[in-house]
Amino acid sequence: MSHYQVNDGVAVITLDNPPINAMALALRRRLADAIHAVQADPAVRAIVITGAGRGFSGGGDITEFDLPAISQVPLPAELLTLIESGSKPVVAALHGMALGGGLELALACHARVAHAQTKVGLPEVQLGLVPGAGGTQRLPRLVGPELALNMIAYGKTREAHSLRDSGLFDLLTDEPPLGAAVTLARDLAARCAEGGALRRTSKLLLQMPNAQAFFAFARATVKAQSQGMPAPSACVDAVENSVTQPFKEGLRREMESFTRLRVTPEFAGLRHAFLAERKAAEIRGLPSDVMPRTVERVVVIGAGTMGTGIAMSLANAGLPVTLLEREQPALARGLATVREHYEADLKKGRLTRQQFEQRLGLIHGALGFDAVRDADLVIEAVFEDLEVKRQVFEQIDAIARPGTVLATNTSMLDVDRIAAFTRRPQDVLGLHFFSPAHVMKLLEIVRGACTSADVLATAMALARRIGKIAVVSGVCEGFIGNRMFESYLMQAGLLLDEGAWPQQVDRAIEKWGMSMGPFRVCDLAGNDLSAKIRQQRLARTPELVYSRTFDAVVELGRYGQKVGRGWYDYMPGQRAPLPSDEVNAAIVAESQRLGLQRRAISDEEIADRLVLALVNEGAKILEEGIAHQASDIDVVYAAGYGFPRWRGGPMFAADRRGLADVITTMGRVSRRPDYQRGADFWQPAELLCRLAERGDSFGTLNHSEHL
Ligand code: NAD
């Protein structure tokens, strides 16, 4: 896992723990052994540490964070002290990535040589932690407390060249860094031999005359931005310690803080969310030798809201796109939208002029279907109407060459029926982007009954290439995300009928952690659009129970933010939702029509009902095999629906609460005297009952069990 070779007095130690050289216990042990060996080896005058494969090191092994391994020797901080305090110079040669514990290791070396594109950072705060191996004490000593605080409290990853003058690196290079690192190590050894001293990061002096005011301001800023999360404030404390405390004391307090944060629910949720994203990328049942098809030319059909966003997300990753429309005005509108977005990015400095030109140059418009002939991938984003989809897919089928991947961006329609419009259903799947498609990270990949393995693999590879978080869903109405959201909205509506107000529902669930309450979401998405979907749904499921206030809002012309009125009123040019008397009157009228005595509803009941609605529907989705694993559902909600990442996702939140308690609470809601409607809504999913009965959780569910 870590080995070394000596060449002309320089020992090169290679971290080798694929895929990212995580600093797991076994690697730490091997590294400590190697350091002891080279320190004792008289043939060695200097040491270089490098990483095998993709990068230097991606950091600590997150799967070990709650295992005894995390506190077994050598502890990361002790290992780094061993490296820093040795008598022979140690140089880190960085490429690919040096993140978290990987960067901390580099900080403890006596010098750093990096490839200019190396990704560096201390992202621990994004997992609800502080760096735990001296990063908060060494980084400020090298780059100054302001920059260090910024890197540690926000956890953003940066490329090494953007830190060129920061003091972090001794040398940046566009070549593989090992050669330059060996040369530097040799130079340092020669200087030591002449009596020169090694530069030990922990011994550097750190002075900041305005420290008190600076950290007071930083603490207030970070607190205001972090919604009560403990880690960002702990990062400020830790960096402040680097200025006000001796190194050793700062290190001790950093470890104390790391240990305390490691047992918080925030860490548990964030770690789950992180690991769940990685797991979602591994598709079960896909043969290991399956090869994705080549995708170099993409055609997007329909230059509306979604088509333009999808085209931009492809062009942003360097893929050429042809955007197809039926008529010139629609095409011109679509291309103008694309240009406006990129111009705004250029103005805000998010794009350089060169990037702006390049991206615009990658998107071409066309009328008619000719471009489909040369496409490797076609993504359809026309109106949500099965007949329109049929016409479009028949045309595609008539001219696309064999092997072209055919995708639909439908939100609710049956992907298998769409696939059946072609003579090649094995090449068809759903690529469900979220709006705005060039911003939203989530991509639901909908696997049809006939979708072939390599088409699925192609979609996964595309998602990676364009920086999306992909989750595979089976075919059902609304797939994973929207199907669950319907249950959530249904409860939100019934709460209004029983006594709550939209602003109260939104506030309660936002306080719980959702980034936006359901009624604000509806106003943003457009109440007329959801009404259309509801009408289609009602045609198939007339017994559907929902609050008629949803219809009332649409009948009042309250289509949402776009018209300045929805569940809320909006002042021109402002997004702040203002309670509406008209809506509140409609709500009261509906309660009266139903003969319900409006009652005070607690924030706790609101949050319970909304979240448990998600959980029960999620359990059914699992049971039906629509989602492969509970954590996939969590990824959908955290990445696409504003579910608080620190709670992990709805299924993880249910696990933490305990499934028996979930069932008890559902029962309590359904037995309320005024909860007369949709009582069977709270009938717990069979899978939920089974797991609760044996004291199990969604997380431990054996994959094959629910299929
Ligand atoms: P939109 O009305 O903004 O755009 C549809 C475009 O398709 C229009 O520009 C129209 O001119 C064009 N079009 C229609 N028929 C065509 C044809 N035969 N050939 C070429 N172009 C044609 O709609 P949208 O909101 O972009 O939605 C498109 C699809 O994406 C729908 O299936 C929708 O359900 C799905 N979707 C929408 C959202 C969303 O939030 N808007 C989110 C996810 C998925």
Side-chain angles (χ1 to χ4, degrees):
M1 282 181 104
S2 129
H3 46 84
Y4 81 92
Q5 275 185 329
V6 186
N7 190 351
D8 195 13
V10 178
V12 175
I13 301 177
T14 305
L15 309 174
D16 194 357
N17 181 20
I20 56 158
N21 300 328
M23 304 288 292
L25 177 62
L27 179 67
R28 295 203 305 273
R29 285 191 172 147
R30 294 286 300 268
L31 180 56
D33 289 347
I35 292 287
H36 283 302
V38 294
Q39 289 288 5
D41 186 341
V44 174
R45 280 177 289 126
I47 301 151
V48 169
I49 303 179
T50 183
R54 276 169 34 195
F56 182 72
S57 168
D61 184 343
I62 185 175
T63 59
E64 277 186 358
F65 280 16
D66 54 358
L67 299 177
I70 186 77
S71 44
Q72 283 174 349
V73 288
L75 295 175
E78 288 171 4
L79 173 62
L80 302 198
T81 302
L82 172 75
I83 291 170
E84 190 186 49
S85 59
S87 58
K88 299 175 184 177
V90 185
V91 178
L94 312 178
H95 76 288
M97 80 314 251
L99 298 171
L103 183 61
E104 290 179 297
L105 166 59
L107 296 172
C109 293
H110 305 115
R112 284 147 296 279
V113 175
H115 184 271
Q117 247 89 55
T118 311
K119 291 195 168 53
V120 295
L122 292 174
E124 286 82 350
V125 70
Q126 293 179 5
L127 287 173
L129 297 173
V130 294
T136 65
Q137 304 306 297
R138 288 196 178 88
L139 188 63
R141 286 176 162 79
L142 278 174
V143 306
E146 288 97 337
L147 176 57
L149 180 70
N150 196 289
M151 289 175 68
I152 293 168
Y154 295 96
K156 292 255 156 60
T157 295
R158 312 169 55 148
E159 291 202 344
H161 61 83
S162 73
L163 295 163
R164 188 177 290 280
D165 301 318
S166 66
L168 183 50
F169 306 108
D170 296 78
L171 189 71
L172 283 182
T173 167
D174 292 320
E175 308 290 324
L178 187 57
V182 168
T183 308
L184 179 60
R186 213 166 267 142
D187 287 354
L188 292 179
R191 263 184 260 164
C192 283
E194 289 163 12
L198 280 176
R199 186 168 183 258
R200 299 183 209 276
T201 313
S202 64
K203 301 281 187 252
L204 298 177
L205 277 181
L206 193 52
Q207 277 171 343
M208 195 185 201
N210 60 343
Q212 216 180 0
F214 171 77
F215 286 106
F217 179 72
R219 188 166 288 109
T221 312
V222 162
K223 203 168 171 196
Q225 293 169 340
S226 57
Q227 291 142 351
M229 301 285 283
S233 297
C235 288
V236 180
D237 295 344
V239 178
E240 183 171 24
N241 290 337
S242 75
V243 178
T244 59
Q245 304 297 322
F247 179 80
K248 257 196 167 158
E249 177 59 14
L251 203 60
R252 192 190 65 75
R253 292 191 192 183
E254 179 196 85
M255 181 40 75
E256 212 174 69
S257 185
F258 178 83
T259 309
R260 178 173 49 83
L261 291 168
R262 212 161 45 82
V263 292
T264 56
E266 286 84 357
F267 167 64
L270 290 166
R271 181 175 79 152
H272 172 79
F274 176 84
L275 293 174
E277 279 174 18
R278 281 212 263 171
K279 265 204 302 191
E282 303 157 11
I283 312 175
R284 308 249 167 94
L286 211 60
S288 59
D289 57 349
V290 66
M291 291 295 289
R293 299 183 190 173
T294 306
V295 173
E296 289 310 330
R297 268 168 303 192
V298 187
V299 164
V300 175
I301 305 182
T305 311
M306 295 308 289
T308 50
I310 294 169
M312 285 190 279
S313 60
L314 296 163
N316 294 351
L319 274 161
V321 187
T322 308
L323 202 47
L324 294 194
E325 266 289 344
R326 288 167 305 177
E327 286 159 4
Q328 184 58 33
L331 180 60
R333 247 192 332 269
L335 292 174
T337 305
V338 168
R339 175 174 275 279
E340 277 161 25
H341 275 294
Y342 282 144
E343 272 170 354
D345 285 347
L346 179 68
K347 251 193 219 137
K348 288 182 190 147
R350 289 200 217 120
L351 286 183
T352 63
R353 165 73 51 187
Q354 193 193 2
Q355 287 169 322
F356 168 79
E357 301 288 352
Q358 188 222 1
R359 291 184 190 185
L360 259 188
L362 284 170
I363 301 178
H364 296 279
L367 296 173
F369 275 64
D370 270 0
V372 166
R373 233 178 274 284
D374 299 322
D376 302 312
L377 165 67
V378 177
I379 304 175
E380 165 278 311
V382 301
F383 302 134
E384 184 76 338
D385 179 309
L386 200 61
E387 185 50 27
V388 179
K389 306 272 191 209
R390 185 182 62 73
Q391 287 167 17
V392 168
F393 272 85
E394 282 177 1
Q395 284 187 74
I396 300 171
D397 190 33
I399 60 171
R401 59 172 173 66
T404 303
V405 175
L406 312 183
T408 171
N409 183 47
T410 181
S411 317
M412 304 291 281
L413 299 174
D414 183 339
V415 172
D416 288 331
R417 285 185 73 183
I418 293 176
F421 297 145
T422 72
R423 290 159 297 169
R424 43 177 119 183
Q426 74 281 0
D427 293 339
V428 179
L429 84 174
L431 285 181
H432 186 217
F433 288 84
F434 288 72
S435 181
H438 59 297
V439 176
M440 293 293 289
K441 283 276 179 208
L442 180 65
L443 178 65
E444 278 182 325
I445 295 181
V446 187
R447 180 183 203 167
C450 303
T451 306
S452 73
D454 64 335
V455 165
L456 199 60
T458 309
M460 294 303 286
L462 177 83
R464 255 195 314 281
R465 191 161 162 195
I466 64 176
K468 299 289 183 203
I469 298 168
V471 173
V472 176
S473 168
V475 175
C476 68
E477 193 157 319
F479 315 126
I480 298 173
N482 283 347
R483 172 168 159 187
M484 287 168 64
F485 201 72
E486 192 180 271
S487 297
Y488 171 86
L489 268 190
M490 177 181 169
Q491 279 307 309
L494 298 187
L495 282 161
L496 299 186
D497 294 350
E498 291 167 38
W501 306 105
Q503 56 274 20
Q504 185 198 357
V505 173
D506 283 354
R507 211 179 326 109
I509 198 70
E510 286 166 14
K511 199 172 79 189
W512 190 84
M514 292 294 284
S515 59
M516 207 186 263
F519 296 105
R520 286 175 64 205
V521 170
C522 286
D523 274 359
L524 198 64
N527 295 316
D528 48 335
L529 285 182
S530 29
K532 235 164 123 189
I533 295 172
R534 199 166 43 252
Q535 290 318 319
Q536 291 171 3
R537 182 93 167 80
L538 274 172
R540 285 187 303 274
T541 329
E543 70 279 10
L544 187 74
V545 175
Y546 73 100
S547 167
R548 297 297 143 119
T549 55
F550 282 102
D551 297 333
V553 164
V554 178
E555 281 153 20
L556 290 166
R558 294 184 154 271
Y559 297 158
Q561 263 194 35
K562 60 188 171 189
V563 295
R565 337 166 38 239
W567 288 96
Y568 297 97
D569 288 333
Y570 299 89
M571 300 295 277
Q574 291 185 15
R575 287 186 178 187
L578 307 169
S580 153
D581 290 342
E582 190 179 39
V583 169
N584 290 351
I587 291 171
V588 171
E590 179 58 12
S591 306
Q592 281 169 354
R593 190 186 71 82
L594 291 165
L596 290 175
Q597 178 71 34
R598 292 180 65 76
R599 66 182 170 98
I601 298 182
S602 70
D603 286 358
E604 191 191 355
E605 180 180 344
I606 292 172
D608 273 352
R609 283 173 61 174
L610 296 188
V611 175
L612 296 186
L614 290 177
V615 171
N616 204 26
E617 197 64 38
K620 291 177 192 164
I621 281 174
L622 259 182
E623 203 167 69
E624 293 166 27
I626 299 294
H628 285 300
Q629 49 200 344
S631 60
D632 285 358
I633 296 175
D634 290 335
V635 174
V636 167
Y637 264 74
Y641 290 81
F643 197 93
R645 200 174 158 83
W646 68 269
R647 289 193 190 266
M651 311 315 274
F652 184 75
D655 278 351
R656 275 194 77 89
R657 180 175 185 152
L659 299 188
D661 182 50
V662 164
I663 290 180
T664 309
T665 309
M666 285 180 177
R668 205 168 46 232
V669 173
S670 67
R671 284 193 302 273
R672 279 202 63 87
D674 54 351
Y675 188 82
Q676 305 140 341
R677 297 172 315 132
D680 58 348
F681 177 94
W682 289 117
Q683 180 62 42
E686 233 175 81
L687 175 69
L688 181 53
C689 295
R690 207 161 63 234
L691 289 173
E693 230 160 69
R694 54 179 206 233
D696 240 333
S697 66
F698 291 117
T700 54
L701 182 62
N702 181 336
H703 171 64
S704 55
E705 185 176 340
H706 60 271
L707 293 180

